[in-house]
Amino acid sequence: TGESSRGEEQWEAQARLAFNCYAETEQHGIDVQAFQQLLLSSVNSAWSPRHLVVHQDMTRPLSHYYINSSHNTFLTGNQLTSDSSELMYRHALLSGLRCVEIDVFGGPNGEPQVYHKYTPTSRVSFRLVVQTISDFAFPPRGR
């Protein structure tokens, strides 16, 4: 649609401007230090500008607010002997949870794994967990 292509063009223009602020023109690129500065700068903020100002009632004690979260999200059952599965993140996110736990530890060949440490629970690939979170926590518009 025309509106979405205008939005994409505007986003690309903003991204190009932000990149150019940190790129060195004679190199036609960006070095590691400049890239880090770009990632941490306010022009790369993941926060909506409307959230810079408190827009909800925040005068109550923390216990008065509902935070939909999960503990040991990756486990299919008990925390001592059950299996670990990326599908549990799918289930949690589709159920409305927005705070999930990922216990990440080193695995074979340098690939990180998710599991409950010091227990015989099974292990699941960190890459698979992150892909599942990406797919279900941040679905494309219209899905």
Side-chain angles (χ1 to χ4, degrees), residues 30-93:
I30 190 167
D31 63 19
V32 173
Q33 183 178 0
F35 182 64
Q36 181 180 20
Q37 289 174 335
L38 172 62
L39 288 177
L40 298 174
S41 74
S42 62
V43 298
N44 190 45
S45 178
W47 295 100
S48 169
R50 73 182 182 120
H51 293 300
L52 294 175
V53 178
V54 176
H55 63 283
Q56 297 174 341
D57 177 14
M58 297 293 165
T59 62
R60 313 297 300 171
L62 185 58
S63 61
H64 289 205
Y65 299 94
Y66 181 77
I67 301 170
N68 210 351
S69 64
S70 171
H71 176 66
N72 289 337
T73 309
F74 49 92
L75 294 176
T76 61
N78 71 66
Q79 65 182 7
L80 297 177
T81 60
S82 66
D83 289 330
S84 301
S85 172
E86 78 284 357
L87 297 177
M88 297 308 294
Y89 289 93
R90 177 184 180 273
H91 175 74
L93 294 165

Side-chain angles (χ1 to χ4, degrees), residues 3 7-8 10 28-29 34 38 40 45 47 51 57 62-63 70 72 75 94 98-99 111-112 114 118 121 124 131:
E3 186 176 312
E8 287 179 27
Q10 184 180 16
H28 301 292
L38 172 62
L40 298 174
S45 178
W47 295 100
H51 293 300
D57 177 14
L62 185 58
S63 61
S70 171
N72 289 337
L75 294 176
L94 291 175
R98 288 297 176 258
C99 179
E111 287 289 324
V114 176
Y118 306 121
T121 59
V124 64
Q131 183 61 55

Side-chain angles (χ1 to χ4, degrees), residues 1-6:
T1 67
E3 186 176 312
S4 66
S5 68
R6 277 193 304 275

